[in-house]
Amino acid sequence: MPKRGGRNNRRNNQGNPRSRIGKKVEEEIEEVIDDLTHRGRGRRRRGDDDDPNRSRQDDEQRKALERKVDERLNAFDEETRDKSARDAILARGGGGGQVKQLGHYADMSVRELAELAETGSAEEKRWAEKALKIIKRAEHYRDKQRGSG
């Protein structure tokens, strides 16, 4: 019985195993992957290369972010800003319970927490803000324990 000329025969005869739709989908997937990877970020997006004001906008955004971070850091002295959250709490008189509340954020510096509070995801922002509040309140905790609060 001879073979019928079905889909498989057409593919083999044409030498091209993918359809036009398959090629289109593959191209779209590759473009999305390039946009999502660090290497392709910003390079292949349409319009980015044509915008001469792009670097100026980036500088303005960076400066605005730095201002916001500095505003958050105003509550801390220069020494505390570069300490880890754990050390900052203990230096201000806080206890281990406060450090334990922070979880893995206790190992980050106060400056990193301030930056995370501005740039992180919603969950990261919430935890970073909570950590900064705990650090600020550590001094109050110390005074309360001594009976002068």
Side-chain angles (χ1 to χ4, degrees), residues 53-65:
N53 297 324
R54 189 66 159 162
S55 63
R56 185 173 50 105
Q57 291 170 351
D58 290 342
D59 288 343
E60 289 173 3
Q61 288 175 350
R62 185 181 44 78
K63 287 178 184 177
L65 176 65

Side-chain angles (χ1 to χ4, degrees), residues 54-123:
R54 189 66 159 162
S55 63
R56 185 173 50 105
Q57 291 170 351
D58 290 342
D59 288 343
E60 289 173 3
Q61 288 175 350
R62 185 181 44 78
K63 287 178 184 177
L65 176 65
E66 287 175 3
R67 278 193 303 270
K68 290 178 183 178
V69 169
D70 287 341
E71 288 173 9
R72 287 189 183 271
L73 290 174
N74 281 339
F76 306 103
D77 58 353
E78 289 294 325
E79 295 173 6
T80 306
R81 293 177 185 182
D82 295 320
K83 288 183 179 180
S84 69
R86 172 181 286 111
D87 294 339
I89 289 172
L90 296 176
R92 285 183 164 218
Q98 290 172 315
V99 173
K100 192 174 180 180
Q101 287 178 359
L102 301 182
H104 71 277
Y105 292 99
D107 296 325
M108 296 178 77
S109 73
V110 176
R111 185 177 307 276
E112 290 171 338
L113 286 170
E115 290 172 2
L116 190 61
E118 292 298 328
T119 61
S121 67
E123 184 73 13

Side-chain angles (χ1 to χ4, degrees), residues 72 113 117 124-134:
R72 287 189 183 271
L113 286 170
E124 290 172 335
K125 286 181 181 184
R126 188 174 68 83
W127 277 100
E129 289 171 358
K130 181 178 180 176
L132 293 171
K133 286 179 187 177
I134 289 173

